[in-house]
Amino acid sequence: MKNNIISKIITFAMATALCFTTVPFQVSAYELATVDIESNEEIVAEAEEEKIFEITQQISMSLYDSNSYDGYSYSSLLDSNNITVYNSLVSLADPTDNPLRVNLPEEVRVNLGSKNPDEPLTDEEKDTISQQIATSIYSGYGFLLLDHPEIFWTAPTFTFSYTGTYEVNNLTNETIFKVKDITFYFQLDTDFQGDMDYARRCKDQLFRELGEFPVEGETRYEKIKSIHDHLIQTVSYNKDAVFAHSVIGSLIYGESVCEGYSEAFKLICDRENIPCIVVVNGKHMWNQVKMEDGNWYAIDVTWDDRDFVEELTGSDVAYDYFLKGMNSFIMSHFPISSLYGISYKTPNLSRKDYECDPQPPAPLNNDNNSDIPVLRSPEENADIDGDGVVSIADAVICTATVLSFDSEQECDINNDGVTNAFDIITLKRIIKRGRQE
């Protein structure tokens, strides 16, 4: 799924829309359903593929329990059936082709109207049953994978089978189909070309990479900065890479998109007992971490990986999206309200940025080379019209420049060597900060 991006803001598109997190996996209906009837007769529903349910995220599963160190778990959003699925499927850390049975605590009850239990299920009835079962299992599966980024090996589809019983209400003449037992069937992702041993070797290699990933510092801030910086220095953004949408891409192959960056960041934070979650809005993925002050802050490692400014600044590591609060982060990262069919909530962000910001790269000087410019601060660059005040007028000029509305005014606010939508965002932050002060 790709959006058409206006050519005049293509640079901004490269930093946003190309960070797709959507590698859909699908839930298809049962292969074989054995239905027990109250009269002790038995009928077998023929195997047919039913309704396809899309979940807009394929992510993976972790060694570490984020709840054991004051973390946050998406399981808090789930009902009892989905929580049971969530907890039961944790064993999928190891690639396997074995089916997995889950006993649901609450019956899935499907009203089939005046259905005669002695007659086979119709296609429409099968479709109704499969849809209602899916609502009791697929959000548990999806949110499990958000909390545990390591089930990288699963294919985009899985099937399930179920057993059920009929309950007939003679007063209302309604027949209820009741299901409690679900069996999941999993297959390898096509990237593994059916090689289960390859998937298992990748799992073992991933665990080694996690164990050996260097994290420096004593404080939580120092460790988070170390993880952030080392990922940027060792991972390249490549939407066409094998396993681009997986932690395998970032930590084993060194190439991924935002999914790989954010999943790797979470797993390493988990290793260090730093409360961290993966956040998704359908087109992009980033992280939130909890600091010692009890507040949550946002980090976008992908957008801080600035390979295109390395020659100018001497470093590809930026901190524009590092430990940010809601006031500065929400302008570029819009949350969603629902995911996997239910309400989607993350811990509330601190309103302000974390107070201990990393030092920016030292500006270049032109003592020995007059061709190398001295970089001014963003605040100095922001007064585009030269009236001594940073205001909406400067934002209008900068916007017109980015969109090429007959303006040749220089407005490289953030000193990255190009004039683009990032400069508009930076300028708006400066204006807003000035108003608050």
Side-chain angles (χ1 to χ4, degrees), residues 29-30 33 35 43-51 110-131 162 166 177:
Y30 61 91
V35 184
I43 60 175
V44 178
E46 295 297 326
E48 293 185 4
E49 184 174 275
E50 299 294 324
K51 180 74 174 179
V110 185
N111 191 330
L112 298 180
S114 58
K115 166 74 177 178
N116 182 351
D118 294 329
E119 297 178 353
L121 292 170
T122 66
D123 289 344
E124 183 178 356
E125 288 165 346
K126 294 175 186 176
D127 187 63
T128 300
I129 293 170
S130 64
Q131 289 188 59
Y162 56 82
Y166 284 116
F177 188 78

Side-chain angles (χ1 to χ4, degrees), residues 141 154 160 166 171 281 320 341 346 406:
Y141 190 90
T154 55
F160 62 87
Y166 284 116
L171 293 178
N281 71 357
D320 294 340
T346 63
D406 298 325

Side-chain angles (χ1 to χ4, degrees), residues 80-324:
S80 60
N81 278 351
N82 277 297
I83 288 176
T84 299
V85 170
Y86 178 105
N87 292 330
S88 299
L89 300 186
V90 169
S91 62
L92 294 178
D94 292 314
T96 179
D97 52 10
N98 295 326
L100 192 151
R101 182 180 176 183
V102 177
N103 184 262
L104 302 177
E106 301 291 334
E107 291 179 333
V108 179
R109 299 174 62 87
V110 185
N111 191 330
L112 298 180
S114 58
K115 166 74 177 178
N116 182 351
D118 294 329
E119 297 178 353
L121 292 170
T122 66
D123 289 344
E124 183 178 356
E125 288 165 346
K126 294 175 186 176
D127 187 63
T128 300
I129 293 170
S130 64
Q131 289 188 59
Q132 196 153 332
I133 291 175
T135 61
S136 295
I137 62 176
Y138 89 121
S139 58
Y141 190 90
F143 281 109
L144 164 75
L145 301 179
L146 274 180
D147 276 339
H148 299 279
E150 271 175 23
I151 305 180
F152 56 86
W153 55 271
T154 55
T157 62
F158 70 87
T159 59
F160 62 87
S161 65
Y162 56 82
T163 58
T165 59
Y166 284 116
E167 175 184 287
V168 179
N169 188 322
N170 293 324
L171 293 178
T172 62
N173 195 32
E174 291 179 329
T175 299
I176 307 298
F177 188 78
K178 304 183 298 182
V179 176
K180 290 200 70 172
D181 289 324
I182 307 290
T183 300
F184 291 85
Y185 303 87
F186 305 95
Q187 295 178 336
L188 285 177
D189 186 274
T190 55
D191 285 335
F192 292 104
Q193 300 181 349
D195 190 340
M196 183 66 72
D197 288 337
Y198 177 32
R200 289 169 178 152
R201 290 196 302 272
C202 282
K203 176 247 180 179
D204 292 339
Q205 180 64 26
L206 176 62
F207 281 41
R208 285 193 294 271
E209 295 294 338
L210 287 172
E212 297 172 1
F213 191 93
V215 177
E216 300 176 354
E218 298 296 328
T219 67
R220 181 170 295 181
Y221 168 82
E222 291 171 341
K223 292 180 179 180
I224 289 174
K225 181 178 179 294
S226 174
I227 299 169
H228 169 275
D229 293 359
H230 192 69
L231 279 175
I232 290 175
Q233 293 161 356
T234 57
V235 182
S236 298
Y237 184 94
N238 184 356
K239 65 184 180 66
D240 298 319
V242 179
F243 302 114
H245 297 270
S246 167
V247 67
I248 294 298
S250 56
L251 288 185
I252 293 182
Y253 291 97
E255 294 184 321
S256 69
V257 295
C258 50
E259 246 178 299
Y261 282 89
S262 56
E263 290 174 1
F265 185 86
K266 172 177 170 49
L267 284 177
I268 300 162
C269 283
D270 287 349
R271 191 197 80 181
E272 297 297 317
N273 289 342
I274 299 172
C276 177
I277 63 169
V278 170
V279 184
V280 60
N281 71 357
K283 294 182 180 179
H284 189 50
M285 186 179 286
W286 60 94
N287 300 97
Q288 285 181 205
V289 294
K290 188 176 183 180
M291 300 302 287
E292 290 98 337
D293 62 4
N295 294 320
W296 288 82
Y297 299 87
I299 294 179
D300 190 334
V301 183
T302 310
W303 283 18
D304 274 347
D305 190 350
R306 308 289 287 279
D307 290 333
F308 58 90
V309 300
E310 184 170 4
E311 291 186 4
L312 183 65
T313 65
S315 174
D316 59 350
V317 180
Y319 301 98
D320 294 340
Y321 304 96
F322 182 80
L323 291 176
K324 295 299 180 180

